[in-house]
Amino acid sequence: MFSRDTLSYDPIPLPDRCEISDADMQDAAVAFFEKMRRRHTVRDFSTRPVARDVIETCLRTAGTAPSGANHQPWHFAAVSDPKLKLRIREEAEEEERRFYAGGAGDEWIKALEPIGTNAVKEHLTVAPWLIVVFAQRWGQFEDGTRYKNYYVPESVNIATGFLLAALHHAGLSTLTHTPNPMRFLTDALGRPASEKPTMIIAVGHPSETATVPSVAKLKKPLEEISSFF
Ligand code: IYR
């Protein structure tokens, strides 16, 4: 996509301009808030399948995110193969056992207590899809030479946020999971050394008996998360 000499500055009239009245804007803002505040991270998934098409469209949404120099330094590996999900689960649980057995330290374990997590990661085999997010620390031209990427964590995290919103909008539940370290994902998914795994997102439908920790409903009020000048 990026070939050193072919891209140049070429402004075009703003496409897809959004014409909206002030009143409709209020309604739109509220409607989206109402939608997003009903997104809950779920740990108990059902095995109900999710069509690949839906996952693909949500990944297209993620791919619309803004990024440093428009380099789009992300890769999403979508896994539905049960054998591969099992391998990922086994390797993630190995890391998590170390984490919960002391690697995390007391303060971290105490912070997680109200969330109710432990080293068993059933969702990694039960959820129909795992999307593994990779950040491309550098890119490569077709001739193999490297180019720099910019604001990689910021760009990838924005795209990941778009993806979570898109999946929720499609009626799916998600769980963001970050085993530490995550190197094993590079090998399991055959990704190049230039890419760093940042997250596993389990995607699917919640089980009939899914719960959320009550603390998940405690969101900081606007006054605390914002200031206006
Ligand atoms: N990676 C571990 C620990 C964990 C850490 C945080 I911060 C969380 O919000 C939740 C879990 C795990 O997935 O269990």
Side-chain angles (χ1 to χ4, degrees), residues 73 135-139 147-149 152 183 192-196:
Q136 297 179 330
R137 288 178 284 205
W138 66 86
Y147 60 81
K148 279 189 182 176
N149 284 331
V152 173
R183 254 226 83 77
S194 54
E195 294 183 359
K196 182 182 186 299

Side-chain angles (χ1 to χ4, degrees), residues 96 99-100 108 112 117-118 121 177-178:
E96 297 295 8
F99 176 91
Y100 285 97
W108 200 345
L112 291 177
T117 55
N118 58 44
K121 301 299 175 189
H177 178 209
T178 50

Side-chain angles (χ1 to χ4, degrees), residues 41 43 109-118 175 212-216:
T41 292
R43 290 179 184 280
I109 294 296
K110 191 168 183 326
L112 291 177
E113 205 270 328
I115 312 289
T117 55
N118 58 44
L175 171 63
V212 297
S214 62
V215 291

